[in-house]
Amino acid sequence: MDLKTVTLSEDKYNQGCELYRLLTTWQTESENPPKIQKLNKMKKPQKKVHMDIPTNTKKINSASLVVIDAANMAMKHGKNKKFSSLGVQLCVDYFLERGFHVVAFLPEFYLDHRPHRLLTRKAHQIPDNFTILNNLVEMGLLVLTPSQDYDDSYCIQYAMSHDGIIVSNDRFRDFIGSVEQKQWIRENTLSCTFVGNEVLPNPNFCSFHFT
């Protein structure tokens, strides 16, 4: 059969790509793989599929540090309409339950609920539950950064210095740093979403980084 004339469904195509990847990987790891060499003569499918897969293959075990961009996760859980304190709690609990060391960073002005301060802020900058955030601070799981500072710098620096990962949907384009630092950020930032109150980290990142 002429392979060029075969029309594959998306599922079959993806399965074929995965099989091709596995076979070529096994081939490089084996000194004498006659069967694999034979299969490797098949032409790789030409259809291009974009996959957002980090280039860093560092493996992360359950003792690793997870640094959470608290404001970013709160807005994601609040569907970008409100600051959901529960979103921060859910994210912290998700990684704690899996044995990770967790610390979240948040600008301290978010916890300043004095009336005259609240009047100067937009609705989405006011947490919907101060008690949850204060409890996290008391437990040492939420660290408040100076209001006048760029809080992302604290997340980035702490994660880099402790060889951890950052949980955020922010791409940190406004971060001022070296080429190497920006590369590290791209490779060690885990995006995340919520399905209701269920935390769902980027599966592509997890499959390549977590042991």
Side-chain angles (χ1 to χ4, degrees):
M1 181 184 293
D2 186 355
L3 294 177
K4 294 183 179 179
T5 63
V6 176
T7 302
L8 298 177
S9 67
E10 190 67 19
D11 288 340
K12 291 295 185 182
Y13 171 76
N14 290 334
Q15 292 173 7
C17 287
E18 178 65 11
L19 177 60
Y20 178 86
R21 185 184 70 79
L22 291 172
L23 290 175
T24 52
T25 300
W26 291 335
Q27 182 179 7
T28 59
E29 294 177 350
S30 173
E31 294 182 359
N32 249 329
K35 293 184 179 179
I36 295 175
Q37 289 175 349
K38 197 171 191 180
L39 288 171
N40 195 37
K41 293 180 180 180
M42 296 175 62
K43 292 186 178 180
K44 184 178 179 180
Q46 297 300 310
K47 183 177 178 181
K48 295 181 179 180
V49 177
H50 174 72
M51 292 185 69
D52 184 17
I53 299 176
T55 58
N56 183 10
T57 56
K58 175 183 71 176
K59 289 295 184 180
I60 301 168
N61 59 44
S62 61
S64 296
L65 171 72
V66 170
V67 176
I68 297 173
D69 182 353
N72 187 274
M73 289 296 99
M75 292 303 299
K76 186 64 178 179
H77 187 255
K79 303 184 187 305
N80 293 321
K81 295 180 180 178
K82 68 173 184 177
F83 187 107
S84 171
S85 300
L86 178 59
V88 181
Q89 180 74 70
L90 291 170
C91 199
V92 168
D93 289 345
Y94 178 88
F95 289 101
L96 282 178
E97 290 168 0
R98 286 157 179 77
F100 291 91
H101 298 304
V102 179
V103 61
F105 286 90
L106 181 72
E108 61 185 352
F109 72 79
Y110 279 101
L111 288 184
D112 187 349
H113 54 274
R114 290 175 292 176
H116 69 284
R117 293 294 188 186
L118 295 179
L119 290 174
T120 63
R121 284 156 44 196
K122 298 178 181 178
H124 69 269
Q125 293 179 321
I126 302 175
D128 60 1
N129 191 315
F130 288 99
T131 301
I132 288 177
L133 300 179
N134 282 321
N135 287 340
L136 290 172
V137 171
E138 291 179 6
M139 294 170 65
L141 296 170
L142 179 62
V143 176
L144 303 180
T145 64
S147 297
Q148 71 274 14
D149 292 349
Y150 178 55
D151 63 298
D152 290 341
S153 293
Y154 288 88
C155 289
I156 295 167
Q157 181 59 38
Y158 195 76
M160 289 182 67
S161 62
H162 292 79
D163 199 25
I165 62 169
I166 304 170
V167 176
S168 178
N169 295 314
D170 191 342
R171 296 190 178 182
F172 305 110
R173 290 193 178 97
D174 50 352
F175 174 74
I176 300 174
S178 66
V179 173
E180 291 77 14
Q181 287 175 321
K182 292 181 178 180
Q183 177 69 17
W184 186 94
I185 291 169
R186 285 193 296 270
E187 295 175 348
N188 292 277
T189 299
L190 169 60
S191 54
C192 188
T193 192
F194 296 89
V195 181
N197 288 334
E198 180 182 354
V199 179
L200 184 61
N202 182 342
N204 288 337
F205 184 101
C206 294
S207 65
F208 271 73
H209 290 256
F210 291 101
T211 55

